[in-house]
Amino acid sequence: MNILCGYNANIDAVYRVTGRDVESVLGEVDKNELLMKLENQPHIINSLEDFLAGLIHCMEYGRGAEWFIYSMDVLDYLKKRFFEEAEIRIGGNMGIMANVLSGLNVDMIVPNVVYLSGTQEALFSKRGMVLPPKFESQSGDEEPVHFVFDFRQGDSFNLYGRRITVSRENRFIATFDEFNPQMTISSFFKQYATAHIGEIDGAVVSGFHMLQPSYPDGSSFKEKLSPVLAQIDEWNSVAGFFIHAELGHFATADMAKNVFVELAGRVDSMGLNEDELATLTQKMGFGIEGIHEMDISAMFQAARNCIKNSLARALVVHTRDFVFCLSASDNMDEEKIDAIDFGLKCAAYFASSGSLPDRSKLEERCSQFKRSEYGSLQVKRIKSITGAKQYGFGIDGIFNEYYFCAIPTLVVNEPAVTVGLGDTFTASSFLRLLELRNKS
């Protein structure tokens, strides 16, 4: 199996942030400015108050978000305060997925790596990985570092007399990155993909959420996106292999909608979580309630409307409690359920061990995990509404003339990691679907 991976890789500094950490940083910021920014979220980081406003908001509501750092002072502060105690690993959706595919013994993985520093090269898994020739960073360049602040449900802290308790586990990402927001295609990746196009079995693409509304050179996000769309068009016209795109948390809802619409007619499936589905649904004018409350019927209706009002072929919505795929044309059969379940098991393996999934030990390790109780109830609920067929822990059927499958997730009660689970699921389920389709 030979797979192309685009487009973002970076260094992740993963730090398990606690209420005590938040309280310690609170002593270094202006109270009035922070309270103002908690009410009016800035969505970018130019000060320590901006950083705390994003982190506290995500912790209070159990939301995930990614904000860009534009202040060297804040970058230096986060490095001094958190970097040495953080787990350093390959980051970026593409970087994580490439490593997962390597761990699952894919014959050849070709990642789009624009900035291959010594640190990044050491963090990439080696088996099957086709990396560009290494080059040294230029003087003054800062490597792309994403501070991933992972927080846990039930933790709490005091915010100026108000007790805040974390409603659910998630993460807030503070990103310093001059490279990935450009959506640059490395010359090596472009040339290799074109030269070996006939040998490729599939491509998984991501990093679109790194795009910015505008750039210092005066260009727009649409101009940065254009070469990527052209490359995907080339793949479709020459080879026509299966392409999956992962969306992500965009800087603005307008950008999320625009990228979704542009990708819809070009890729075979698109993945997103409940927060991203809610943003997209609201921007497309549907206004469906219940998505953040994890109401599966509301999420089905939202996904259906997104497909109906675009050229999208299939949406894969992955949440903490369940995953479903909805399509206007592709019948959801046992292969799709098997592929999704394989992805869930790989994510559970990674969550429980902190290591890349080992296929030989996958079933044994995952046999100890139970299915999400809430997810099981929601899947049972949609089954009763639609009359879907049961297959293992999953179901498949038709929802308002759209094909679907759904399955509850596996629960790891004391995870070793929580960051990168979505990318692990996406890469492994994508691989398994390719394998199953190649057999049939």
Side-chain angles (χ1 to χ4, degrees):
M1 199 67 66
N2 302 325
I3 297 176
L4 298 174
C5 293
Y7 285 91
N8 59 327
N10 56 264
I11 296 167
D12 268 355
V14 183
Y15 184 88
R16 185 172 296 177
V17 67
T18 66
R20 186 175 297 177
D21 289 319
V22 175
E23 290 174 347
S24 71
V25 182
L26 277 171
E28 303 185 48
V29 302
D30 182 274
K31 175 183 175 180
N32 292 331
E33 184 177 351
L34 174 59
L35 291 175
M36 180 189 70
K37 288 182 174 179
L38 280 168
E39 289 296 320
N40 301 284
Q41 294 275 289
H43 299 288
I44 60 172
I45 300 173
N46 282 310
S47 68
L48 204 51
E49 288 82 3
D50 292 338
F51 162 71
L52 266 187
L55 177 61
I56 290 171
H57 179 82
C58 285
M59 293 178 77
E60 181 173 9
Y61 295 101
R63 302 270 176 88
E66 181 171 8
W67 292 6
F68 277 83
I69 301 169
Y70 292 104
S71 163
M72 293 303 295
D73 288 340
V74 175
L75 176 64
D76 290 341
Y77 178 90
L78 295 181
K79 281 185 174 180
K80 290 174 184 175
R81 176 70 175 77
F82 299 109
F83 196 83
E84 286 189 6
E85 297 179 40
E87 177 191 353
I88 308 302
R89 65 189 194 201
I90 197 70
N93 308 89
M94 181 275 287
I96 295 169
M97 288 193 278
N99 269 9
V100 170
L101 292 170
S102 175
L104 292 172
N105 301 323
V106 171
D107 299 313
M108 184 180 77
I109 309 105
V110 187
N112 174 62
V113 184
V114 178
Y115 186 91
L116 187 64
S117 66
T119 303
Q120 278 204 45
E121 185 177 38
L123 292 171
F124 269 110
S125 186
K126 300 299 181 287
R127 190 189 185 285
M129 199 75 67
V130 181
L131 295 173
K134 183 188 168 196
F135 65 90
E136 297 298 327
S137 62
Q138 297 177 6
S139 176
D141 281 344
E142 288 280 353
E143 283 192 296
V145 178
H146 297 202
F147 291 90
V148 182
F149 293 96
D150 177 22
F151 48 84
R152 295 303 175 88
Q153 182 178 354
D155 196 7
S156 65
F157 55 93
N158 188 296
L159 178 65
Y160 306 125
R162 181 165 70 96
R163 198 74 193 170
I164 291 179
T165 301
V166 178
S167 58
R168 60 178 286 192
E169 71 271 7
N170 217 314
R171 78 286 179 275
F172 175 70
I173 306 174
T175 291
F176 183 87
D177 195 329
E178 298 175 295
F179 299 94
N180 291 305
Q182 305 285 335
M183 289 297 289
T184 306
I185 304 173
S186 78
S187 57
F188 177 83
F189 183 74
K190 183 176 179 60
Q191 292 166 10
Y192 197 98
T194 300
H196 298 269
I197 196 74
E199 305 164 21
I200 303 300
D201 296 290
V204 57
V205 292
S206 56
F208 303 97
H209 65 290
M210 300 292 292
L211 289 162
Q212 298 298 292
S214 61
Y215 293 83
D217 63 4
S219 60
S220 68
F221 76 91
K222 293 182 180 180
E223 291 172 274
K224 301 297 184 184
L225 180 63
S226 183
V228 170
L229 299 178
Q231 181 171 59
I232 294 173
D233 287 340
E234 178 189 352
W235 295 345
N236 282 322
S237 64
V238 176
F241 46 71
F242 193 90
I243 304 173
H244 175 82
E246 198 66 22
L247 293 178
H249 179 85
F250 284 81
T252 70
D254 283 324
M255 292 171 61
K257 177 185 175 182
N258 186 277
V259 173
F260 172 79
V261 171
E262 289 288 355
L263 289 172
R266 290 177 162 92
V267 301
D268 297 283
S269 62
M270 282 188 279
L272 65 171
N273 65 24
E274 67 274 16
D275 291 328
E276 294 149 16
L277 178 64
T279 297
L280 186 60
T281 301
Q282 184 177 21
K283 190 60 193 176
M284 294 183 78
F286 307 136
I288 296 170
E289 298 293 331
I291 297 175
H292 282 309
E293 291 72 29
M294 305 295 286
D295 181 326
I296 196 169
S297 59
M299 296 172 79
F300 264 56
Q301 188 62 49
R304 178 187 181 275
N305 286 351
C306 288
I307 295 173
K308 185 179 180 180
N309 289 272
S310 69
L311 296 173
R313 300 167 196 172
L315 290 187
V316 181
V317 180
H318 43 81
T319 78
R320 181 182 62 173
D321 294 295
F322 54 82
V323 176
F324 70 86
C325 181
L326 194 73
S327 172
S329 57
D330 188 11
N331 189 18
M332 296 291 110
D333 53 17
E334 295 175 0
E335 284 186 354
K336 190 68 178 180
I337 296 175
D338 279 344
I340 291 175
D341 200 33
F342 179 76
L344 293 175
K345 288 175 180 174
C346 287
Y349 186 106
F350 178 55
S352 64
S353 66
S355 304
L356 292 174
D358 182 336
R359 293 185 86 148
S360 66
K361 300 176 182 176
L362 193 63
E363 294 297 331
E364 179 184 357
R365 177 175 282 273
C366 290
S367 64
Q368 64 186 289
F369 305 129
K370 294 181 179 179
R371 298 284 164 169
S372 163
E373 192 172 319
Y374 181 79
S376 297
L377 289 172
Q378 289 293 304
V379 169
K380 184 178 181 180
R381 180 171 165 231
I382 204 71
K383 180 186 178 185
S384 67
I385 293 171
T386 62
K389 296 180 298 180
Q390 190 81 32
Y391 176 72
F393 289 99
I395 60 172
D396 67 271
I398 298 176
F399 174 84
N400 290 351
E401 302 179 352
Y402 282 65
Y403 299 103
F404 80 89
C405 65
I407 187 168
T409 60
L410 291 163
V411 176
V412 178
N413 289 323
E414 296 183 4
V417 295
T418 60
V419 179
L421 299 184
D423 295 320
T424 302
F425 163 77
T426 296
S428 49
S429 59
F430 170 77
L431 170 63
R432 187 61 184 147
L433 185 62
L434 290 185
E435 292 174 343
L436 290 169
R437 290 189 170 182
N438 280 0
K439 286 180 180 179
S440 54

